[in-house]
Each structure stands twice: as C-alpha cells, then as structure tokens.
Amino acid sequence: MDRYDVVVVGAGNAAFCAALAAREKVQKVLVLERAPEDEAGGNSRFTAGLMRVAYRGVEDLKQVIPDLTEEEIARTDFGAYTEEQFLDDMARRGSSSRSARRRRRTASRSGTARERSRCSSMTRGFKALS
C-alpha cells in the first residue's frame, strides 16, 4: 500500500495550490479527483489554468502570459482590471481591517512573478505532484 504525507481531495485551483504548497514541505502528495482526467480541474479547466490578476493593459499581461502571440493580442480586447477593481471584487469576501490589509496586499502583488509562481505549475497536471 502506498503511503502519502498529504492527501488533497479535488483537483481545482484551490486544491492544486494546496497540493503544491504541501509538496514544498513533504515528499509525497496525492491529489484525488472524481472527475475523469480529461474533465478534471474544476473551474480552472475553463480558464486554462490562469488566475485573476490586476493589470493595466496588454503589456502587464505579457509579463504574466509570456507566450501570448501578436495574433492573439491583435484579435483580443483585454481591457484592464485595475487594483481598485480587484479590491472591489475581493471586498465582498470580508470586512475586517485585517482582511482589508490582506486584500490590498493581494491586489497589489497579484501580477508579480512571486505571487504568480506560487500556483503556476498547476497546469502541468497530476504527475507534477508525485
């Protein structure tokens, strides 16, 4: 019988982030998902593994999505999703001043390499965790 240090139930964005965080601390992490492999990933499946980040325009997005092609840029209106909009969306989750400080920090760091890299390998699939 195989033994695991951590077992994560589900294979959506939060589950993969939890599994990746666990893998930083322990050797063996198991991710369990009831959906067929080609349907696994929860809502992340529909976003191609992308996460919400604040950005001012396509130049910011190119830092987050380095393989974005000129053709994709030309045919897509990316608009902007400012830190203020990010904060407004997050404000619905909590109201304490401590939560407000966390929301400001999350919004201001959302597009930085350090914050992005935390869950960036989730799109590599289950095998990356074993």
Side-chain angles (χ1 to χ4, degrees):
M1 172 185 264
D2 289 332
R3 296 183 66 79
Y4 296 91
D5 300 307
V6 174
V7 176
V8 177
V9 178
N13 190 353
F16 266 116
C17 288
L20 289 168
R23 185 62 178 90
E24 291 174 358
K25 303 288 183 188
V26 301
Q27 283 295 306
K28 292 192 77 173
V29 176
L30 175 65
V31 175
L32 299 175
E33 172 61 76
R34 73 177 178 180
E37 189 171 344
D38 62 328
E39 295 179 14
N43 289 333
S44 299
R45 183 172 148 245
F46 300 104
T47 63
L50 295 177
M51 296 176 286
R52 178 187 311 213
V53 297
Y55 64 94
R56 293 175 300 255
V58 72
E59 291 304 315
D60 286 351
L61 288 176
K62 286 166 66 175
Q63 299 300 311
V64 180
I65 313 168
D67 58 347
L68 193 61
T69 67
E70 291 302 319
E71 179 185 346
E72 290 168 323
I73 292 168
R75 71 173 188 246
T76 308
D77 179 7
F78 294 102
Y81 185 61
T82 66
E83 286 183 25
E84 292 76 23
Q85 290 169 310
F86 191 111
L87 284 167
D88 288 344
D89 287 343
M90 289 181 62
R92 294 180 216 134
R93 297 206 165 252
S95 60
S96 74
S97 61
R98 184 174 179 196
S99 291
R101 284 192 299 274
R102 263 191 225 137
R103 288 192 304 267
R104 278 192 296 278
R105 184 178 66 228
T106 299
S108 69
R109 294 180 179 175
S110 67
T112 66
R114 186 173 138 243
E115 296 297 315
R116 286 191 317 269
S117 67
R118 182 99 174 105
C119 296
S120 65
S121 60
M122 81 174 121
T123 59
R124 295 183 192 146
F126 299 105
K127 293 178 178 75
L129 296 172
S130 52

